[in-house]
């Protein structure tokens, strides 16, 4: 026998791969627990509890073997030798475990039988169990092979970067998805058969919910595994594209994935799986509910009218009229054929939830199917009926939009009228608001100006006592140029109100209030920006700016800097 | 999701036929994971804000740091977010910046990268493309784009110390021994009042202190009002060195503008080149003004300017020079001289402008034109290379 020289064993490259192997092994445990139930229908006396930990270790062993023989020539001598040796060992271990866990099996008697005829080694129990082990081994190997392709091996990635090797990771991942769902659907099928109670298989006592839980756990572990592969694919892509990424991202990814999948699992576990309403009853209930809402609307609209009518009728009536019967409020009673809970509405809700999900998935599948076949859409669009329906729908949507637009415009113009008719004072005047509205326009401006000065001072823009209103206006414009317009209006109106002998009009006060409001908005935006910047401006910095001398220009601002310098020197 | 579609349909059929609870539960799990993943990735990107922070103006060969401040304003973490910023090759090689980051709930991060401008210009930084996806990879990746922002890289500026340009203006900053013109903004000292002194020259504060009438003595100086005319018509720069010569002309213009601004002179700028920001037409003339902001404006135009196919420099000079004040020094930078331009120069000199001509490069007939100009009293400089600017570096 020609044995090839031994190739050094590749160690597991990173903890991510190890974690994936653990996940696969637990998935196989879920798979085997369903199969055990099936086997126990045919062999009720046998104890197969040991198969669960055995499946875990067989799965790990299969995954590790896959790493070992990955580089071997398939069906070569080394490849065959390793597999044969492994299988012999597994068979022996399985047999030993069967004897250990089932006392009614007598190894002494069986040994002498084997000497006479070795075929007796392969008993029914052994054959069932070895079949399960083979299945676990096969599925684990296939998944392990996929993981080897997706593994972030630096040597392989270096070759890919050079262009000497190409791996279609998306296709490989699709293969893994296929395996996960193949095993999962097989488990579903088996549990469905078991739940149905096929006549040849006697009923078992275990509650159905345990099987559902096992299935949920299997699929949840499968999704976590898919998350791992997605991380691997993306990290490989970024490595090949020389894109920097943070290693800490992995932890956050896994935590978020586990939380999301766990939440989805809990959500799925508590959703209804039986319905008490058939599909037609569901439609009937839905229609009934819509009519119920419409009847309530009708009731709310008509009730006041009818009440007023009855009052008038009583007023002008001869006197002896029967008391008006109160209007009956609309009722809605959902039909329930076979209630499963104490609350009929809960049954209805559960049925509705079920049918919504059911119909939703059907619609999604149909839509996806049609979108993948654009030629069908093109043909359908050419039918006259479809054209008419399309135009009718366009007309309906345009009409609805027009009505909505008109309603919105009406509401907005009403609000605007309301706003204009109400005096809006800036929000800084809560203390003087009760009296401000009663004052004449001149006093409104004067009081408002003083209150505004107090507010701006609190925000970090105080006015020095020796500053005139004009100087303060220039100061503010220098610090925040956006306030120039508002300050100009405010200052000019204040000066007019303070010093002029003529009457101040109401619209001037309103103009002052509007200018104050826009000034406040600008200041608050400025303060917000400075608050979020890395070096927030303390009040002292603002005051430093105020310390600069402000000289009022006679005409346009001077362009010649030397003029200013000579003034300061003089 | 298309990978799961056949499974979903199979599950529905099984659920419908056998009315099995566990089949429906698995169906719910699939639907919930798909919908949650899809909603997560869509909403995550909508709530991500990115701000680009960098100095919008830069000088040559000065590395510039650009900061991308990424913030997640939602309650869902953004598991992975790939940022791809497209950049010009003149600033960085390769012409992109890429990084993948992850953001927690209301998390933020700042990503930095550097660009190295080696050439003047007006460069777009961006657009920035954001990519994200759900944790399972069940739905398509979401993409968003942040528009580009622009970086202006100023041309090469050679520091000059003395230009030797003449001026006729009575007020200004260059000390002039001729005592005829005094600058009232520059006070040299004070003296006692003498009969005949203008009352405006009395220094009242000094008078109050000394109790004798004191008048101010002003320094005599000359102001240099400068206007740079830059000719960027392609036909005036010929040969295989056209590109280099035009770039050199731009550098000369920038260096002169820098010198004028540093010396507190007024400087203006007019060119017939193409400005990218002026809808690819001629930029508006920049009238002479003082100050650093004026210099930045001129440098900004010089950074963006490109050569023009139209040769209308003579008309441009004619039109623009008529708006210049008497005594303005005109610095004319061009690749060639023709009779029409010489004619315009003579007219401009008659109007009181001082003309200094800087000719870039060499071509047939240029030397004779230069000699002719010098004979008629024009100041002419003939430059070939940046090293030639040493004549103005003292």
């Amino acid at each position: 026998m020609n044995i090839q020289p031994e190739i050094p064993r590749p160690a597991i490259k990173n903890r991510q791969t190890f974690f994936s192997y653990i996940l696969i092994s637990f998935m196989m445990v879920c798979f085997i627990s369903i199969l055990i139930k099936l086997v126990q229908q045919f062999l009720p006396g046998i104890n197969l509890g040991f198969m669960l930990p055995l499946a875990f270790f067989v799965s790990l062993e299969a995954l590790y073997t896959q790493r070992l023989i990955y580089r071997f020539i398939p069906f070569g001598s080394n490849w065959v030798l390793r597999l044969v040796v492994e299988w012999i060992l597994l068979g022996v271990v399985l047999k030993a475990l069967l004897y250990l866990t089932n006392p009614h099996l007598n190894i002494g008697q069986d040994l002498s039988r084997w000497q006479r005829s070795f075929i007796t080694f392969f008993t029914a129990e052994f054959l069932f169990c070895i079949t399960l082990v083979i299945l676990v081994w096969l599925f684990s190997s296939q998944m392990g092979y996929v993981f080897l392709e997706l593994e972030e091996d630096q040597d392989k990635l270096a070759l890919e970067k050079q262009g000497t090797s190409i791996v279609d990771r998306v296709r490989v991942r699709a293969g893994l998805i296929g395996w996960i769902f193949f095993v999962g659907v097989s488990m579903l099928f088996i549990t469905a058969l078991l739940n149905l109670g096929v006549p040849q298989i006697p009923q078992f006592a275990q509650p159905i919910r345990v099987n559902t839980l096992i299935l949920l756990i299997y699929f949840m572990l499968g999704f976590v595994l898919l998350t791992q592969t997605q991380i691997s694919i993306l990290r490989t892509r970024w490595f090949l594209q020389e894109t920097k990424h943070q290693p800490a991202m992995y932890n956050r990814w896994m935590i978020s994935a586990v939380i999301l999948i766990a939440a989805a699992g809990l959500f799925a576990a508590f959703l209804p799986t039986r319905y008490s309403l058939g599909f037609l009853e569901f439609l009937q209930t839905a229609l009934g509910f819509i009519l119920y809402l419409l009847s309530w609307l009708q009731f709310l609209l008509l009730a006041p009218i009818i009440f007023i009518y009855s009052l008038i009728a009583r007023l002008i009536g001869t006197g002896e009229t029967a008391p008006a019967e109160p209007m009956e409020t609309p009722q809605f009673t959902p039909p329930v054929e076979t209630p499963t809970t104490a609350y009929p509405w809960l049954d209805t809700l559960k049925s509705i939830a079920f049918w919504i999900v059911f119909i939703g998935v059907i619609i999604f599948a149909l839509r996806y199917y049609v979108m993948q076949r654009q030629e069908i859409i093109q043909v359908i669009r050419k039918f006259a009926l479809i054209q008419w329906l399309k135009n009718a729908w366009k007309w309906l949507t345009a009409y609805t939009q027009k009505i909505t637009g008109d309603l919105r415009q009406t509401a907005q113009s009403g609000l605007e009228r309301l706003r204009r008719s109400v005096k809006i004072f800036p929000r800084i005047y809560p203390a003087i608001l009760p009296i401000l509205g009663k004052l004449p326009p001149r006093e409104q401006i004067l009081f408002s100006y003083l209150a505004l000065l107090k507010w701006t001072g609190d925000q970090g823009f105080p006015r020095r006592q020796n500053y005139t209103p004009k100087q303060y206006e220039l100061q503010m414009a220098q610090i925040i140029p956006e306030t120039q317009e508002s300050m100009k209006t405010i200052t000019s109106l204040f000066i007019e109100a303070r010093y002029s002998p003529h009457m101040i009009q109401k619209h001037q006060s309103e103009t002052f209030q509007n200018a104050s409001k826009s000034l406040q908005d600008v200041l608050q935006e400025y303060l917000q920006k400075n608050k979020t910047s890395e070096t927030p401006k303390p009040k002292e910095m603002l005051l430093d700016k105020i310390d600069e001398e402000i000289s009022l220009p006679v005409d346009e601002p001077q362009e010649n800097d030397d003029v200013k310098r000579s003034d300061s020197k003089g | 999701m298309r990978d799961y579609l056949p499974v979903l349909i199979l599950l529905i059929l099984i659920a419908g036929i056998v009315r099995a609870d566990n089949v429906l539960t698995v169906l719910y799990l699939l639907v919930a994971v798909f919908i949650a993943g899809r909603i997560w990735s869509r909403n995550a990107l909508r709530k991500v804000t990115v701000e680009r922070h960098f100095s919008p103006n830069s000088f040559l060969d000065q590395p510039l740091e650009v900061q991308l401040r990424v913030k997640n304003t939602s309650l869902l973490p953004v598991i992975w977010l790939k940022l791809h910023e497209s950049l010009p090759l003149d600033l960085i090689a390769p012409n992109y910046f890429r990084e993948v980051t992850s953001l927690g709930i209301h998390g933020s991060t700042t990503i930095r990268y550097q660009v190295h401008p080696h050439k003047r210009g007006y460069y777009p930084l961006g657009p920035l493309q954001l990519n994200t996806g759900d944790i399972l990879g069940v739905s398509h990746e979401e993409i968003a784009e942040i528009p580009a922002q622009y970086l202006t890289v100023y041309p090469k500026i050679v520091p000059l110390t003395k230009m030797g340009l003449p001026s006729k203006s009575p007020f200004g900053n260059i000390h002039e021994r001729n005592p005829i013109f005094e600058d009232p903004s520059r006070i040299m000292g004070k003296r006692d009042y003498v009969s005949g002194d203008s009352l405006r020259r009395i220094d009242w504060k000094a008078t109050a202190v000394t109790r004798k009438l004191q008048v101010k003595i002003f320094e005599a100086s000359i102001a240099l009002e400068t206007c740079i005319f830059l000719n960027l018509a392609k036909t005036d720069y010929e040969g295989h060195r056209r590109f280099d010569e035009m770039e050199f002309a731009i550098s000369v213009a920038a260096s002169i503008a820098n010198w004028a601004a540093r010396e507190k002179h007024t400087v203006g700028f007019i060119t017939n080149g193409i400005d990218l920001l002026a809808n690819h037409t001629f930029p508006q003339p920049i009238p002479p003004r003082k100050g650093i902001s004026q210099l930045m404006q001129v440098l900004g135009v010089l950074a963006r300017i490109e050569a023009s196919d139209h040769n209308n420099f003579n008309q441009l000079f004619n039109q623009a020079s008529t708006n210049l004040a008497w005594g303005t020094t005109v610095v004319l930078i061009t690749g060639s001289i023709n009779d029409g331009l010489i004619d315009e120069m003579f007219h401009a000199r008659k109007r009181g402008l001082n003309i200094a001509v800087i000719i870039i490069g060499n071509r047939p007939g240029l030397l004779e034109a230069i000699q002719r100009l010098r004979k008629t009293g024009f100041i002419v400089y003939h430059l070939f290379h940046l090293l030639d600017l040493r004549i103005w570096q003292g």
Side-chain angles (χ1 to χ4, degrees):
Chain A
M1 193 163 52
N2 191 10
I3 299 171
Q4 288 174 15
E6 202 170 59
I7 297 165
R9 295 176 185 182
I12 293 175
K13 292 282 177 168
N14 53 36
R15 61 175 184 173
Q16 188 186 347
T17 309
F18 179 69
F19 182 59
S20 306
Y21 285 0
I22 298 292
L23 281 175
I24 293 172
S25 304
F26 274 114
M27 285 164 70
M28 290 299 109
V29 169
C30 294
F31 173 59
I32 211 78
S33 63
I34 298 293
L35 289 181
I36 284 171
K37 291 186 197 325
L38 184 66
V39 169
Q40 279 179 335
Q41 304 312 310
F42 296 98
L43 302 168
I46 196 157
N47 175 17
L48 293 175
F50 69 92
M51 287 295 293
L52 294 177
L54 180 66
F56 183 84
F57 287 109
V58 166
S59 176
L60 274 179
E61 169 63 31
L63 290 164
Y64 190 67
T65 304
Q66 189 57 243
R67 296 186 75 86
L68 291 178
I69 65 175
Y70 180 62
R71 291 176 190 172
F72 289 2
I73 301 164
F75 302 103
S77 51
N78 255 349
W79 190 86
V80 169
L81 184 65
R82 283 193 187 269
L83 287 180
V84 165
V85 163
E86 187 180 7
W87 275 105
I88 291 171
L89 278 172
L90 278 174
V92 167
V93 166
L94 180 62
K95 197 72 171 171
L97 284 170
L98 268 171
Y99 282 114
L100 279 170
T101 55
N102 293 278
H104 64 276
L105 299 171
N106 192 338
I107 188 168
Q109 281 180 4
D110 291 342
L111 271 172
S112 55
R113 268 210 294 267
W114 297 343
Q115 281 175 356
R116 288 195 293 273
S117 167
F118 190 68
I119 202 79
T120 54
F121 181 86
F122 301 98
T123 57
E125 302 90 354
F126 180 76
L127 284 171
F128 269 116
C129 292
I130 202 74
T131 309
L132 299 181
V133 168
I134 287 171
L135 285 172
V136 166
W137 194 93
L138 272 173
F139 292 145
S140 302
S141 294
Q142 289 304 309
M143 291 190 196
Y145 176 78
V146 168
F147 263 91
L148 281 170
E149 291 282 301
L150 292 177
E151 195 171 39
E152 295 166 58
D153 187 308
Q154 293 297 318
D155 300 327
K156 264 191 347 191
L157 290 176
L159 286 173
E160 269 188 83
K161 213 170 172 182
Q162 286 170 12
T164 51
S165 163
I166 297 171
V167 177
D168 187 355
R169 286 182 172 76
V170 175
R171 189 188 55 80
V172 170
R173 185 170 180 258
L176 177 66
I177 294 170
W179 276 110
I180 291 173
F181 278 95
F182 174 71
V183 173
V185 170
S186 310
M187 287 166 67
L188 275 170
F189 188 68
I190 293 168
T191 49
L193 278 177
L194 290 171
N195 293 351
L196 273 179
V198 175
Q200 288 83 1
I201 302 170
Q203 294 292 324
F204 59 90
Q206 283 228 343
I208 294 170
R209 293 301 284 177
V210 173
N211 291 347
T212 309
L213 188 65
I214 294 169
L215 279 165
L216 260 185
I217 291 171
Y218 172 83
F219 278 101
M220 283 161 65
L221 290 172
F223 279 127
V224 175
L225 198 64
L226 290 176
T227 305
Q228 293 263 60
T229 56
Q230 176 69 359
I231 294 172
S232 182
I233 287 172
L234 283 175
R235 287 212 299 212
T236 307
R237 192 194 300 171
W238 296 332
F239 172 78
L240 292 173
Q241 291 174 349
E242 293 178 352
T243 304
K244 279 196 301 181
H245 62 273
Q246 302 160 359
M249 190 193 308
Y250 173 73
N251 291 339
R252 181 180 282 150
W253 199 320
M254 286 312 300
I255 292 168
S256 304
V258 167
I259 291 171
L260 173 72
I261 292 165
L266 274 174
F267 174 75
F270 286 107
L271 276 181
T273 53
R274 285 184 179 272
Y275 52 86
S276 49
L277 285 176
F279 183 63
L280 292 175
E281 288 84 1
F282 159 72
L283 288 178
Q284 185 189 3
T285 307
L287 198 61
F289 187 71
I290 293 170
L291 288 172
Y292 167 67
L293 288 175
L294 288 172
S295 56
W296 255 107
L297 194 64
Q298 183 193 33
F299 173 78
L300 288 170
L301 286 171
L302 289 179
I305 298 167
I306 293 173
F307 177 68
I308 293 167
Y309 176 74
S310 66
L311 283 179
I312 294 169
R314 239 191 257 176
L315 205 65
I316 62 173
T318 51
E320 295 219 4
T321 52
E325 288 176 7
M327 271 182 78
E328 284 182 8
T329 55
Q331 298 293 326
F332 174 71
T333 312
V336 176
E337 286 184 4
T338 51
T340 57
T341 65
Y343 308 101
W345 57 268
L346 190 60
D347 279 320
T348 311
L349 269 178
K350 281 165 65 174
S351 301
I352 289 170
F354 169 79
W355 285 113
I356 286 173
V357 171
F358 189 87
I359 294 166
V361 172
I362 298 283
I363 290 171
F364 174 81
L366 194 64
R367 183 173 174 270
Y368 184 81
Y369 178 83
V370 171
M371 293 306 282
Q372 292 294 308
R373 285 151 181 83
Q374 291 288 330
E375 58 273 12
I376 298 177
I377 297 174
Q378 301 300 328
V379 167
I380 291 171
R381 275 189 184 149
K382 286 179 187 162
F383 289 150
L385 178 65
I386 302 296
Q387 293 283 340
W388 182 85
L389 282 171
K390 212 169 135 184
N391 292 335
W393 179 254
K394 270 189 196 162
W395 174 84
L396 192 65
T397 44
Y399 185 68
T400 316
Q401 276 171 4
K402 186 175 174 303
I403 291 176
T404 319
D406 289 343
L407 280 171
R408 197 181 299 127
Q409 211 172 357
T410 312
Q412 273 176 358
S413 58
L415 274 171
E416 194 56 45
R417 254 184 271 123
L418 196 67
R419 218 177 277 132
R420 263 188 261 125
S421 66
V422 171
K423 283 184 208 155
I424 298 168
F425 291 103
R427 41 191 176 274
I428 60 168
Y429 306 146
I432 58 170
L433 198 57
I435 57 161
L436 202 62
K438 297 176 185 152
L439 294 172
R442 185 189 298 274
E443 276 69 25
Q444 281 176 5
I445 292 175
L446 296 177
F447 273 105
S448 301
Y449 185 78
L450 292 173
L452 184 66
L453 285 184
K454 180 162 187 330
W455 184 78
T456 53
D458 290 342
Q459 302 306 316
F461 307 97
R463 183 187 76 95
R464 290 193 157 237
Q465 280 195 337
N466 58 335
Y467 271 20
T468 64
K470 208 71 178 145
Q471 280 180 312
Y472 184 60
E473 175 198 329
L474 284 170
Q475 167 199 306
M476 287 295 290
Q478 205 179 26
I479 299 172
I480 308 168
E482 292 86 359
T483 58
Q484 192 175 4
E485 280 296 320
S486 314
M487 281 303 298
K488 199 172 172 181
T489 310
I490 288 167
T491 308
S492 61
L493 283 169
F494 170 73
I495 290 171
E496 192 180 342
R498 176 73 179 80
Y499 298 107
S500 63
H502 58 259
M503 187 118 81
I504 300 295
Q505 306 296 327
K506 200 164 76 168
H507 71 86
Q508 286 175 291
S509 172
E510 282 171 11
T511 309
F512 184 93
Q513 308 306 339
N514 290 336
S516 294
K517 193 166 184 307
S518 74
L519 174 70
Q520 284 173 70
D521 291 339
V522 166
L523 281 180
Q524 280 178 347
E525 204 181 302
Y526 174 82
L527 289 168
Q528 194 67 29
K529 265 190 207 157
N530 280 352
K531 210 197 312 182
T532 55
S533 66
E534 285 178 354
T535 52
K537 259 190 191 174
K539 274 193 181 174
E540 291 73 25
M541 285 174 70
L542 292 170
L543 287 173
D544 285 341
K545 277 207 171 185
I546 294 161
D547 278 335
E548 289 173 15
E549 285 292 331
I550 308 290
S551 53
L552 283 170
V554 176
D555 295 315
E556 290 298 311
Q558 298 274 358
E559 286 180 18
N560 195 343
D561 294 341
D562 296 321
V563 174
K564 277 192 188 165
R565 220 183 304 124
S566 73
D567 283 341
S568 62
K569 274 189 189 172
Chain B
M1 187 57 189
R2 56 181 174 273
D3 296 333
Y4 303 93
L5 194 57
V7 175
L8 276 181
I9 295 169
L10 184 64
L11 285 175
I12 290 165
L13 285 172
I14 296 174
I17 293 166
V18 303
R19 290 180 75 148
D21 299 344
N22 43 19
V23 176
L24 287 169
T25 304
V26 170
L27 181 67
Y28 290 148
L29 175 68
L30 283 179
V31 171
V33 164
F34 170 69
I35 290 173
R38 197 159 182 179
I39 291 172
W40 188 328
S41 62
R42 267 198 192 160
N43 281 342
L45 200 56
R46 272 193 213 137
K47 299 285 186 172
V48 167
T49 60
V50 181
E51 285 172 4
R52 208 187 274 112
H53 291 266
F54 63 99
S55 171
N57 303 308
S58 173
F59 291 92
L60 278 180
D61 299 322
Q62 272 186 6
L64 177 77
E65 185 181 84
V66 180
Q67 290 184 1
L68 297 171
R69 290 185 197 163
V70 190
K71 195 172 172 194
N72 175 23
T73 56
S74 81
L75 290 172
L76 291 172
V78 178
I79 304 300
W80 66 273
L81 180 71
K82 184 173 145 197
L83 298 102
H84 178 108
E85 175 105 296
S86 304
L87 298 166
L89 214 50
D90 287 325
L91 295 181
I92 193 169
N95 59 339
Y96 59 81
F97 169 77
R98 253 191 235 141
E99 190 166 310
V100 177
T101 186
S102 175
L103 300 167
I105 300 170
H106 287 300
S108 65
T109 184
T110 301
I111 295 169
R112 294 176 175 85
Y113 66 91
Q114 278 199 341
V115 294
H116 302 269
H118 298 299
K119 204 179 131 201
R120 64 155 190 117
Y122 188 62
Y123 299 106
L125 297 185
L128 176 67
Q129 199 178 62
L130 303 173
N131 271 63
T132 189
D134 65 298
I135 51 174
L136 283 171
V138 293
S139 54
H140 291 297
E141 289 181 4
E142 300 289 330
I143 299 174
E145 203 170 89
I146 310 288
Q149 285 173 269
Y150 286 83
L151 168 70
T152 303
V153 179
Y154 294 138
K156 183 161 184 62
I157 297 173
V158 177
L160 307 173
T161 49
K162 55 169 188 173
M163 283 291 301
L165 299 173
S167 172
K168 294 173 187 165
S169 187
F171 305 111
N173 307 85
I174 298 179
H175 181 75
E176 174 56 51
R177 285 191 212 130
N178 186 341
I180 293 174
F181 305 115
E182 290 175 327
D183 187 352
S185 67
R186 290 180 165 269
I187 297 172
M188 208 164 56
K190 297 178 182 62
R191 60 169 171 79
D192 290 341
Y193 175 80
V194 169
S195 174
D197 282 336
S198 166
L199 290 177
R200 285 183 187 175
R201 293 174 70 150
I202 294 175
D203 188 339
W204 294 107
K205 282 188 182 168
T207 302
V209 169
T210 58
R211 297 197 185 185
K212 275 193 289 186
L213 279 175
Q214 300 287 304
V215 292
K216 298 172 195 170
I217 305 171
F218 298 115
E219 202 175 309
S221 64
I222 283 176
L224 193 61
E225 292 192 4
T226 313
C227 190
I228 301 168
F229 281 80
L230 175 63
N231 180 12
L232 281 181
K234 280 183 193 168
T235 49
D236 285 339
Y237 297 84
E238 61 172 25
H240 58 276
R241 293 197 68 237
R242 175 186 295 161
F243 179 76
D244 292 332
E245 284 178 4
M246 287 199 284
E247 288 297 312
F248 178 44
I250 290 169
S251 292
V252 168
S255 305
I256 293 172
N258 177 58
W259 170 83
R262 298 277 172 217
E263 293 294 320
K264 306 276 192 292
H265 300 162
T266 55
V267 63
F269 179 69
I270 295 160
T271 182
N272 62 347
I274 301 292
D275 187 358
L276 300 173
L277 279 190
N279 283 329
H280 295 268
T281 56
F282 306 130
Q284 286 290 323
I286 302 174
R289 279 208 182 97
K290 272 192 190 182
I292 295 295
S293 58
Q294 174 76 352
L295 172 65
M296 304 312 262
Q297 197 180 356
V298 170
L299 291 178
V301 173
L302 284 167
R304 297 188 301 267
I305 211 80
E306 299 291 333
S308 161
D309 291 319
H310 302 289
N311 194 348
N312 59 346
F313 189 64
N314 296 355
Q315 293 96 312
L316 183 73
F317 180 72
N318 177 26
Q319 281 167 8
S321 61
T322 50
N323 296 327
L324 296 174
W326 181 90
T328 301
T329 299
V330 169
V331 179
L332 222 146
I333 304 172
T334 180
S336 76
I337 289 278
N338 53 47
D339 291 339
L341 184 60
I342 294 174
D343 217 21
E344 297 298 337
M345 283 161 60
F346 272 111
H347 286 309
R349 193 162 68 170
K350 273 187 195 168
R351 287 198 297 270
L353 303 179
N354 296 314
I355 314 274
V357 184
I358 300 173
I359 297 176
I360 308 293
N362 200 7
R363 51 199 52 82
L366 204 54
L367 288 171
E368 290 84 7
I370 291 171
Q371 276 173 8
R372 214 171 102 203
L373 283 171
R374 279 179 178 151
K375 274 182 191 164
T376 47
F378 285 104
I379 297 171
V380 182
Y381 298 97
H382 194 187
L383 306 177
F384 297 89
H385 194 264
L386 273 175
L387 291 172
D388 293 338
L389 293 177
R390 279 180 298 185
I391 52 172
W392 294 323
Q393 285 184 319

